[in-house]
Amino acid sequence: METLPNSLPAKVGVLGGGRMGAGIAHAFLINGSDVLVVERDEASALAARERVESAAAKSIERGATDANLGEMASRLTVSVDYADFRDRGLVVEAVPEIWDLKVSSLQRVEENLGETAILASNTSSLSMSGLAAELQRPANFLGLHFFNPVPASTLIEVVIAKQSAEEVIDKARGWVKALGKTAVVVNDAPGFASSRLGVAIALEAMRMVEEGVASAEDIDNAMVLGYKHPTGPLKTTDIVGLDVRLGIAEYLHETLGDRFAPPQILRDLVEQGHLGRKTGRGFYDWSDSK
């Protein structure tokens, strides 16, 4: 694998150019890697390029990078062809949290990678060992769970599958450091550390709203002012996406039991299409920020 002086892979791929995928691409791009984003169709690929370049421009405005936008844009490629992953040293999968989709996507990427390339999943809850078992080279696989918004977050959860090689784990730690973030290394378990704890707090906050204990704003303020959380659990849910949180909660309910049963208020909001910031409404009104 060709690497940069800061130890990052010289050529990185990202599967999926949505909010998370674009953020991951941006993180590697501003730290010097050539980045390829593969999407399902041309329109999605062009939208992904716009997201990444917009994030890069904001990084320049904040002084987070000395590179100019033209130089960074020259290192960004978008495509709809999995075969373009063939020269990548690392590919991070960032498709929706649907088991069959994750498996088929990872398998298609792996088919187009070199023997020594490393494949990572950005899943926030699904079994890393289970995903690894579906691959031909499971030792080259692990989890790199980025947090939204990726540019502002200082955390990456490195999730170790039972099959992950020690050399791969060590490289992942180095990459996280080179990206200017902190690694939390966890063994494979439902929800890992961050999603399991974050969802547990969020689900209880939802039940409190459902029971009329307090408003969403006051519940969040209790956690922000009393426990120094940067945002409360309900606003965080809106930022993450209520559909995403529901999917994680359903998986944790299935694997860990009734304490993770999704509250009816969450199911109702998702059914009504109120998914949080991305749709303009969740537990809060985001219409002015769309």
Short mmCIF file of all heavy atoms in Angstrom, two decimals, residues 148 201 219-221 223-225 228-237 239 284 286:
data_model
loop_
_atom_site.label_atom_id
_atom_site.label_comp_id
_atom_site.label_asym_id
_atom_site.label_seq_id
_atom_site.Cartn_x
_atom_site.Cartn_y
_atom_site.Cartn_z
N ASN A 148 -21.01 11.99 12.87
CA ASN A 148 -21.60 13.09 12.11
C ASN A 148 -21.75 14.34 13.00
O ASN A 148 -22.27 14.22 14.11
CB ASN A 148 -22.97 12.64 11.59
CG ASN A 148 -23.63 13.65 10.69
OD1 ASN A 148 -22.96 14.37 9.97
ND2 ASN A 148 -24.95 13.71 10.73
N ILE A 201 -29.52 6.36 25.91
CA ILE A 201 -29.92 7.66 26.47
C ILE A 201 -31.02 8.29 25.62
O ILE A 201 -32.01 8.82 26.14
CB ILE A 201 -28.70 8.60 26.55
CG1 ILE A 201 -27.68 8.05 27.57
CG2 ILE A 201 -29.12 10.01 26.93
CD1 ILE A 201 -26.35 8.78 27.56
N ILE A 219 -35.51 18.55 28.23
CA ILE A 219 -34.76 17.30 28.45
C ILE A 219 -33.34 17.45 27.91
O ILE A 219 -32.37 17.08 28.58
CB ILE A 219 -35.49 16.13 27.77
CG1 ILE A 219 -36.80 15.83 28.50
CG2 ILE A 219 -34.60 14.88 27.75
CD1 ILE A 219 -37.71 14.89 27.75
N ASP A 220 -33.21 18.03 26.72
CA ASP A 220 -31.88 18.23 26.16
C ASP A 220 -31.06 19.20 27.02
O ASP A 220 -29.87 18.98 27.26
CB ASP A 220 -31.99 18.77 24.73
CG ASP A 220 -32.19 17.65 23.71
OD1 ASP A 220 -32.14 16.47 24.10
OD2 ASP A 220 -32.40 17.97 22.53
N ASN A 221 -31.69 20.27 27.48
CA ASN A 221 -30.97 21.24 28.31
C ASN A 221 -30.47 20.61 29.60
O ASN A 221 -29.41 20.98 30.12
CB ASN A 221 -31.84 22.45 28.62
CG ASN A 221 -31.92 23.42 27.45
OD1 ASN A 221 -31.02 23.46 26.62
ND2 ASN A 221 -32.98 24.21 27.39
N MET A 223 -29.32 17.64 29.92
CA MET A 223 -28.09 16.91 29.62
C MET A 223 -26.95 17.84 29.23
O MET A 223 -25.79 17.61 29.56
CB MET A 223 -28.35 15.89 28.50
CG MET A 223 -29.40 14.85 28.84
SD MET A 223 -29.05 13.98 30.40
CE MET A 223 -27.56 13.10 29.97
N VAL A 224 -27.30 18.95 28.54
CA VAL A 224 -26.27 19.90 28.13
C VAL A 224 -25.73 20.67 29.33
O VAL A 224 -24.50 20.79 29.52
CB VAL A 224 -26.83 20.88 27.08
CG1 VAL A 224 -25.85 22.02 26.81
CG2 VAL A 224 -27.15 20.14 25.78
N LEU A 225 -26.61 21.18 30.16
CA LEU A 225 -26.19 22.01 31.29
C LEU A 225 -25.78 21.19 32.50
O LEU A 225 -24.87 21.57 33.24
CB LEU A 225 -27.32 22.97 31.68
CG LEU A 225 -27.77 23.92 30.56
CD1 LEU A 225 -28.96 24.76 31.03
CD2 LEU A 225 -26.62 24.81 30.10
N LYS A 228 -22.92 18.36 30.71
CA LYS A 228 -21.95 18.93 29.78
C LYS A 228 -21.91 18.23 28.42
O LYS A 228 -20.88 18.21 27.75
CB LYS A 228 -20.53 18.94 30.41
CG LYS A 228 -20.45 19.65 31.74
CD LYS A 228 -20.94 21.09 31.66
CE LYS A 228 -20.84 21.80 33.00
NZ LYS A 228 -21.41 23.16 32.98
N HIS A 229 -23.05 17.61 28.02
CA HIS A 229 -23.13 17.10 26.66
C HIS A 229 -23.17 18.27 25.69
O HIS A 229 -23.85 19.26 25.95
CB HIS A 229 -24.39 16.25 26.49
CG HIS A 229 -24.33 14.94 27.21
ND1 HIS A 229 -25.11 13.87 26.86
CD2 HIS A 229 -23.58 14.52 28.26
CE1 HIS A 229 -24.86 12.84 27.66
NE2 HIS A 229 -23.94 13.22 28.53
N PRO A 230 -22.46 18.20 24.57
CA PRO A 230 -22.47 19.33 23.63
C PRO A 230 -23.84 19.58 23.02
O PRO A 230 -24.21 20.72 22.74
CB PRO A 230 -21.45 18.92 22.56
CG PRO A 230 -21.32 17.44 22.69
CD PRO A 230 -21.55 17.13 24.14
N THR A 231 -24.60 18.51 22.79
CA THR A 231 -26.00 18.64 22.38
C THR A 231 -26.78 17.57 23.13
O THR A 231 -26.24 16.54 23.53
CB THR A 231 -26.22 18.42 20.87
OG1 THR A 231 -25.71 17.13 20.51
CG2 THR A 231 -25.51 19.49 20.06
N GLY A 232 -28.07 17.81 23.32
CA GLY A 232 -28.89 16.84 24.02
C GLY A 232 -29.19 15.62 23.16
O GLY A 232 -29.00 15.63 21.94
N PRO A 233 -29.71 14.54 23.76
CA PRO A 233 -29.95 13.30 23.02
C PRO A 233 -31.01 13.41 21.94
O PRO A 233 -30.94 12.70 20.93
CB PRO A 233 -30.38 12.32 24.11
CG PRO A 233 -30.88 13.18 25.24
CD PRO A 233 -30.03 14.41 25.19
N LEU A 234 -31.98 14.30 22.11
CA LEU A 234 -33.04 14.43 21.10
C LEU A 234 -32.59 15.27 19.92
O LEU A 234 -32.88 14.94 18.77
CB LEU A 234 -34.30 15.00 21.75
CG LEU A 234 -34.87 14.09 22.84
CD1 LEU A 234 -35.93 14.81 23.66
CD2 LEU A 234 -35.44 12.81 22.23
N LYS A 235 -31.86 16.33 20.18
CA LYS A 235 -31.30 17.10 19.07
C LYS A 235 -30.28 16.27 18.31
O LYS A 235 -30.22 16.32 17.07
CB LYS A 235 -30.68 18.40 19.58
CG LYS A 235 -30.15 19.28 18.45
CD LYS A 235 -29.83 20.69 18.93
CE LYS A 235 -31.08 21.51 19.16
NZ LYS A 235 -30.78 22.92 19.46
N THR A 236 -29.49 15.50 19.03
CA THR A 236 -28.53 14.60 18.37
C THR A 236 -29.25 13.59 17.49
O THR A 236 -28.81 13.30 16.37
CB THR A 236 -27.68 13.86 19.41
OG1 THR A 236 -26.94 14.82 20.19
CG2 THR A 236 -26.70 12.91 18.75
N THR A 237 -30.38 13.08 17.97
CA THR A 237 -31.18 12.15 17.16
C THR A 237 -31.65 12.82 15.88
O THR A 237 -31.62 12.22 14.80
CB THR A 237 -32.38 11.65 17.98
OG1 THR A 237 -31.91 10.86 19.07
CG2 THR A 237 -33.32 10.81 17.12
N ILE A 239 -30.15 15.20 14.31
CA ILE A 239 -28.98 15.39 13.45
C ILE A 239 -28.58 14.07 12.79
O ILE A 239 -28.29 14.01 11.59
CB ILE A 239 -27.81 15.98 14.25
CG1 ILE A 239 -28.15 17.40 14.72
CG2 ILE A 239 -26.52 15.97 13.44
CD1 ILE A 239 -27.19 17.99 15.73
N TYR A 284 -37.41 18.50 16.75
CA TYR A 284 -37.30 19.95 16.62
C TYR A 284 -37.75 20.37 15.22
O TYR A 284 -37.83 19.55 14.31
CB TYR A 284 -35.84 20.41 16.83
CG TYR A 284 -35.35 20.29 18.25
CD1 TYR A 284 -34.91 19.06 18.75
CD2 TYR A 284 -35.33 21.40 19.10
CE1 TYR A 284 -34.45 18.96 20.05
CE2 TYR A 284 -34.88 21.29 20.41
CZ TYR A 284 -34.43 20.06 20.88
OH TYR A 284 -33.99 19.96 22.16
N TRP A 286 -36.61 22.15 12.02
CA TRP A 286 -35.36 22.51 11.34
C TRP A 286 -35.65 23.21 10.01
O TRP A 286 -34.75 23.32 9.18
CB TRP A 286 -34.54 21.25 11.07
CG TRP A 286 -34.09 20.53 12.30
CD1 TRP A 286 -34.80 19.59 12.99
CD2 TRP A 286 -32.84 20.69 12.97
NE1 TRP A 286 -34.06 19.14 14.07
CE2 TRP A 286 -32.86 19.80 14.07
CE3 TRP A 286 -31.72 21.49 12.76
CZ2 TRP A 286 -31.79 19.69 14.97
CZ3 TRP A 286 -30.65 21.37 13.65
CH2 TRP A 286 -30.70 20.48 14.72
#
